[in-house]
Amino acid sequence: MALPQRKTDIGPPHYKQFLPPVIQKNYGKWKYHEVLSHGVMVHVGESGDKLWTVRVASPRLLSTATIREHCDVAEKFCGGFFRYTTRNNVEFLVSDEKQLEPLKKDLTARGFKMGGIGAAITNVVHTQGWVHCHSAATDASGLVKSIMDELMEYFESKTLPNKVRLAVACCVNMCGAVHCSDIAVVAVHTKVPTVKHELFKNMCELPTVIGSCPTRAISPDPANKSVKINAEKCMYCGNCFTVCPPISIKDPERDGVAILVGGKINSLRSNPKFSKLVIPFISNEPPRWPKAVAAIKHIVEVYAANARKHERVGEWIERIGWERFFSLTGIDFTFQCIDDFTFMRDTMRTSSTFKW
Amino acid sequence: MKKYDTPLIDELEKGPWPSFVTEMKKAGKNNEMANDAVGHLEKCYRTKVGYWKHGGIVGVLGYGGGVIGRYSELGDEFPGVAHCHTVRINQTSGFFYTSNALREICDIWDKYGSGLTNMHGSTGDLVLLGTKTDALETIFAEYSSRGWDLGSSGSALRTPNCCVGPARCEWSNYDTLDLNYALTQEFQDEIHRPMFAYKFKIKMSGCACDCVASIARADMSIIGTWKGNIAVNQDEVKNYAKNGMDINAEIVNMCPTQCISYDGKEMKINDAECNRCMHCITKMTKALKPTGERGATICIGSKAPIVVGSLLSWVIVPFIKIEPPYTELKDLIRKIWEWWDDNAKPRERIGEVIEMKGMRSFLEGIGQSPIPQQIKEPRKDPFMFYTEDDMAAFKAKEAEEKKTGKYKF
Ligand code: SF4
Ligand code: SF4
């Protein structure tokens, strides 16, 4: 069968054809919105029109079969219109209030989980992990599944002082704003890479490999026509292995995850913040990563018990101080929490006004 | 098809949160690639390492990006995923779809790919996970003939992305969806033919809530804002109080600039001191809304930690009008790329180059004047550059002062 005529540089289809009529009509003229429950919100237009959004979790990795099921639901209740969110939720949009309860019933019957709106934990931004990424030091989807199974009540119903944004990155590359999350899991390597010298000269470019190292730990090894790595300078970022496959950094017993907290991206009340390292290492424990999951749940619970209404994790910690965060959570303070990389001078304390 | 025994990942089908393993198995029922991906993943879980290899140049004719080559080290054991390339489809503005459109996307993907997707990838593209090299041209012909183009990868302008904006949000200060569409169309060449030192991401949020995290992960962050007052509807303020909101604790005391007062009856905002953080507006959505001139703040340079640490975007243009045909903004983007091209080494993001060369070099390069809104605080050290022009200007000012007898600082 002949292929259709290919076209190039057409860009995406125009978004307008995908907007439901109620949005076309009220575009740019929304007056306010209200969160009705963790799974439902309503937007009210200046015209008086209303648009209900029902948010549903997805595992981000979706089979076409499930996308077709989303289509079925949208056709049944939403005129075929729906959207995804940047955090991989699915949103069904209804303009007729009579459709709302039947839609919710249908979603429940199909096993879809509604939630994630408001002062809650919503879907987790994450990377590919062992499912598809070449530099993964852990599996991101498995961690997310394990974490959210444990925190489900905060997605569906239980209210927190404010949103808690979770993220998982399967290596220090951190594709996807993981570095500015309330609680972030980032997978780390902890060992100096090995070099297969005999393959080096055929597969790698010496200047590129040397240039790839942010700490200048790599130098030429002329005897082997390869490179050597200075163990004192290497901090296992894996950048060299990305540009040169004979360099290997993966290690099943030494790869694991670190936990960072207190980041945010919006400017509400306080400025955007990076997440900061609090737990430097937890071994990979597939399939359920019980210790990492317990650590996250513990941090969420201490935050929920201590923060003021509307405070994000990072704002709460800044108010009480990091020394108090460590004492309240009982997390061990280790050398890894003291920066010895780029931002050291900004992160040390320069006053005697700390708490005991 | 080979049936794999998967005791470890089967554990991840239990529990209330939707399971990606179930998704993989669903796709694997009638798809060899997805089925082998299931076996492949179980092996990763058993051995605690990943087996994917980066690389190889794969793609479609005339494009330099949009497809990411991926191979498994275990091709003999799992032939279905020996190659397992990713195809990035340029998403719609705001991730709005119709069922018809997505069904079409699914039909094509079932025919030539793994039946597995990401809705969506971190950059924004609709990501199709796993196909073979010889299917790529066919996939592209099928999609593009139906109006879907590839997204981006490599050292290119990455597929621009935006928040839900005026489609379903009362806070958007400009039309994020339209700007996203317009920029994506304008820069097709830069999206599909990698020609930069490294990747360049543009993300658009309608307000400081920044629903697409542009401040943290876009080389260019376009964040909506306004110049004008916050209109207060006093009746609605009363309703909030009546319905149990502690206005002093939740609003007045949490305002970062302390510019709100409330005497139990009336709420007043000293707008000149407001820094437009959005807190009060998001909490009293019925009572408060911005008025006056709308536009955006342009910030530059954010990125994740690799290689020398993460950056948040820096303010370079505090306020710019965002109106079609967006000529001023497009010109600014071109100037920014020109400066970056002139100054970057390979694999240097623009934020890193600005750090190396200095913000002054960058601002001069793109024709922006210094203004206090660009900084949090002035420098702490006295190690400055003085150009001949700077000195001439200082001297001229002093000469003028001598003449008039009046100091001008
Ligand atoms: S960034 Fe602002 S305008 Fe855009 S959707 Fe979020 S809240 Fe609305
Ligand atoms: S927007 Fe922020 S700074 Fe402005 S009045 Fe409201 S809380 Fe205060």
Side-chain angles (χ1 to χ4, degrees):
Chain A
M1 200 183 69
L3 282 180
Q5 182 62 46
R6 82 208 281 277
K7 297 184 199 150
T8 57
D9 300 297
I10 51 174
H14 197 275
Y15 56 90
K16 206 144 185 209
Q17 59 193 286
F18 302 120
L19 302 177
V22 60
I23 287 186
Q24 306 245 13
K25 187 174 157 214
N26 294 279
Y27 194 87
K29 288 181 247 156
W30 296 104
K31 200 165 150 196
Y32 67 90
H33 78 277
E34 274 179 302
V35 177
L36 303 177
S37 71
H38 272 42
V40 185
M41 59 183 165
V42 61
H43 283 77
V44 182
E46 279 158 17
S47 63
D49 289 349
K50 289 185 175 175
L51 172 67
W52 286 268
T53 298
V54 180
R55 185 178 290 175
V56 163
S58 100
R60 185 174 92 134
L61 199 159
L62 292 173
S63 63
T64 47
T66 300
I67 297 176
R68 287 199 184 89
E69 209 180 343
H70 296 158
C71 293
D72 292 341
V73 175
E75 280 163 8
K76 213 162 146 193
F77 302 98
C78 315
F81 297 95
F82 66 115
R83 70 179 290 265
Y84 293 85
T85 75
T86 43
R87 303 189 81 91
N88 318 304
N89 298 295
V90 193
E91 289 184 338
F92 295 100
L93 308 162
V94 291
S95 51
D96 175 4
E97 192 169 11
K98 285 201 292 293
Q99 296 292 341
L100 188 60
E101 285 312 313
L103 166 65
K104 284 160 67 182
K105 235 196 194 149
D106 189 82
L107 288 169
T108 308
R110 292 170 187 270
F112 287 123
K113 302 291 175 187
M114 290 171 271
I117 299 177
I121 292 179
T122 189
N123 211 333
V124 182
V125 161
H126 68 100
T127 58
Q128 299 283 16
W130 289 334
V131 172
H132 209 231
C133 181
H134 77 288
S135 61
T138 194
D139 186 38
S141 310
L143 266 159
V144 169
K145 165 76 175 144
S146 306
I147 294 165
M148 289 310 290
D149 275 343
E150 194 62 32
L151 296 176
M152 197 66 195
E153 56 179 338
Y154 293 105
F155 179 81
E156 287 182 318
S157 60
K158 207 165 172 177
T159 292
L160 289 162
N162 201 336
K163 304 173 193 310
V164 175
R165 294 293 186 239
L166 303 177
V168 176
C170 61
C171 83
V172 292
N173 256 318
M174 294 202 195
C175 315
V178 170
H179 58 302
C180 291
S181 306
D182 293 279
I183 305 176
V185 180
V186 58
V188 289
H189 301 288
T190 62
K191 234 179 86 178
V192 179
T194 54
V195 188
K196 285 202 184 103
H197 295 305
E198 62 292 358
L199 297 177
F200 187 92
K201 62 177 183 301
N202 292 329
M203 295 178 73
C204 313
E205 235 190 41
L206 185 78
T208 315
V209 177
I210 291 181
S212 73
C213 178
T215 61
R216 297 173 185 269
I218 303 179
S219 58
D221 179 356
N224 282 315
K225 294 200 169 58
S226 174
V227 289
K228 50 179 185 283
I229 301 177
N230 179 344
E232 279 175 24
K233 288 188 179 169
C234 170
M235 44 70 179
Y236 337 112
C237 74
N239 217 30
C240 54
F241 124 93
T242 299
V243 300
C244 174
I247 296 183
S248 159
I249 191 169
K250 294 173 192 171
D251 183 318
E253 292 318 312
R254 291 276 300 255
D255 292 349
V257 301
I259 293 183
L260 290 85
V261 307
K264 80 195 241 303
I265 48 103
N266 71 37
S267 295
L268 270 65
R269 299 169 302 279
S270 62
N271 290 335
K273 306 175 204 308
F274 293 120
S275 322
K276 285 102 182 163
L277 183 96
V278 293
I279 299 181
F281 184 79
I282 296 173
S283 289
N284 271 333
E285 299 177 286
R288 281 282 175 181
W289 285 268
K291 184 169 173 188
V293 171
I296 291 167
K297 189 168 192 191
H298 176 59
I299 294 167
V300 169
E301 283 170 351
V302 176
Y303 158 74
N306 289 280
R308 290 181 185 155
K309 194 170 180 186
H310 304 317
E311 265 178 346
R312 290 284 289 266
V313 171
E315 294 172 308
W316 161 63
I317 299 174
E318 279 177 10
R319 175 171 60 79
I320 62 171
W322 284 94
E323 67 276 30
R324 183 62 71 240
F325 171 82
F326 281 95
S327 65
L328 277 175
T329 55
I331 292 173
D332 281 341
F333 189 82
T334 63
F335 270 121
Q336 281 80 15
C337 298
I338 299 177
D339 198 346
D340 46 18
F341 194 52
T342 23
F343 303 119
M344 179 268 188
R345 65 167 76 177
D346 298 335
T347 57
M348 297 310 298
R349 192 189 296 275
T350 53
S351 80
S352 60
T353 53
F354 44 79
K355 298 174 186 172
W356 297 115
Chain B
M1 269 192 305
K2 187 168 172 197
K3 176 114 177 46
Y4 294 101
D5 192 23
T6 54
L8 289 173
I9 60 172
D10 287 353
E11 284 298 315
L12 294 167
E13 291 199 273
K14 300 171 186 162
W17 189 254
S19 169
F20 71 103
V21 174
T22 306
E23 292 302 311
M24 292 176 77
K25 288 189 181 170
K26 259 196 212 171
K29 257 192 218 136
N30 33 34
N31 186 301
E32 192 79 57
M33 288 187 92
N35 185 51
D36 275 12
V38 171
H40 193 267
L41 185 64
E42 176 72 14
K43 176 135 185 182
C44 296
Y45 270 66
R46 200 166 62 238
T47 54
K48 298 205 274 186
V49 282
Y51 297 98
W52 296 105
K53 290 190 288 186
H54 202 333
I57 304 289
V58 289
V60 303
L61 214 65
Y63 280 21
V67 179
I68 297 130
R70 184 113 324 159
Y71 304 87
S72 172
E73 289 167 14
L74 310 176
D76 294 339
E77 203 179 333
F78 304 99
V81 293
H83 355 165
C84 192
H85 311 318
T86 295
V87 180
R88 291 185 175 165
I89 301 284
N90 196 328
Q91 83 285 7
T92 56
S93 282
F95 301 144
F96 284 94
Y97 295 97
T98 56
S99 54
N100 286 342
L102 275 182
R103 284 187 198 283
E104 200 168 69
I105 285 184
C106 291
D107 290 345
I108 298 171
W109 190 235
D110 279 342
K111 215 154 134 197
Y112 304 105
S114 67
L116 287 171
T117 73
N118 279 158
M119 299 297 280
H120 294 73
S122 292
T123 296
D125 297 294
L126 190 169
V127 170
L128 304 174
L129 281 181
T131 189
K132 296 189 166 38
T133 312
D134 55 15
L136 290 170
E137 278 302 331
T138 315
I139 288 170
F140 182 59
E142 294 275 5
Y143 281 118
S144 71
S145 69
R146 288 168 172 80
W148 297 93
D149 204 344
L150 293 190
S152 177
S153 61
S155 294
L157 170 60
R158 294 299 179 84
T159 316
N161 196 14
C162 68
C163 74
V164 69
R168 197 208 50 202
C169 181
E170 65 269 32
W171 297 323
S172 198
N173 288 288
Y174 69 93
D175 191 337
T176 53
L177 286 81
D178 193 57
L179 179 66
N180 188 54
Y181 183 77
L183 295 184
T184 309
Q185 290 295 348
E186 175 86 14
F187 299 120
Q188 283 294 302
D189 216 23
E190 286 81 358
I191 289 173
H192 292 134
R193 289 163 202 93
M195 56 180 91
F196 296 149
Y198 203 11
K199 63 182 119 178
F200 193 94
K201 300 186 177 184
I202 303 180
K203 291 191 190 293
M204 290 151 252
S205 281
C207 78
C209 294
D210 200 359
C211 291
V212 285
S214 71
I215 200 76
R217 53 181 186 150
D219 297 273
M220 184 182 212
S221 320
I222 306 176
I223 303 174
T225 195
W226 72 94
K227 274 182 168 176
N229 296 343
I230 297 175
V232 185
N233 180 330
Q234 302 294 353
D235 291 337
E236 292 292 353
V237 171
K238 284 195 186 85
N239 282 334
Y240 278 105
K242 211 166 61 200
N243 293 331
M245 181 185 268
D246 181 345
I247 291 180
N248 276 316
E250 290 184 48
I251 308 296
V252 176
N253 296 344
M254 293 195 102
C255 166
T257 60
Q258 298 288 295
C259 67
I260 310 181
S261 60
Y262 174 66
D263 59 7
K265 286 191 224 82
E266 242 193 16
M267 179 174 228
K268 285 206 185 103
I269 298 180
N270 179 358
D271 292 285
E273 295 311 312
C274 163
N275 67 10
R276 293 156 291 106
C277 83
M278 292 292 296
H279 168 72
C280 60
I281 295 167
T282 59
K283 296 296 164 303
M284 305 181 81
T285 167
K286 284 181 177 172
L288 306 177
K289 66 165 198 253
T291 64
E293 218 183 334
R294 303 303 178 94
T297 301
I298 311 288
C299 307
I300 284 285
S302 64
K303 56 179 280 295
I306 206 102
V307 177
V308 285
S310 28
L311 298 173
L312 289 163
S313 287
W314 298 299
V315 172
I316 55 160
V317 181
F319 190 82
I320 185 171
K321 284 284 223 190
I322 305 280
E323 276 159 5
Y326 312 111
T327 314
E328 198 187 342
L329 184 61
K330 289 174 186 167
D331 290 348
L332 180 68
I333 293 172
R334 290 208 166 86
K335 272 194 245 163
I336 289 169
W337 287 341
E338 209 180 302
W339 182 87
W340 185 39
D341 277 345
D342 288 347
N343 290 285
K345 294 199 294 270
R347 284 171 70 86
E348 261 185 339
R349 297 282 286 268
I350 194 163
E352 295 167 321
V353 184
I354 295 174
E355 250 192 348
M356 287 297 295
K357 299 273 164 185
M359 186 54 101
R360 174 171 185 164
S361 157
F362 175 68
L363 291 174
E364 283 182 334
I366 62 164
Q368 289 295 315
S369 314
I371 101 163
Q373 280 76 4
Q374 288 157 344
I375 56 159
K376 229 167 15 199
E377 57 185 24
R379 72 194 302 149
K380 299 182 263 271
D381 58 83
F383 314 129
M384 304 165 260
F385 289 110
Y386 295 93
T387 67
E388 289 308 315
D389 287 351
D390 293 340
M391 287 315 292
F394 294 136
K395 293 289 182 191
K397 201 153 80 177
E398 286 174 357
E400 170 90 14
E401 288 166 353
K402 285 234 165 66
K403 244 202 266 158
T404 60
K406 260 198 215 130
Y407 285 131
K408 268 175 78 186
F409 304 104

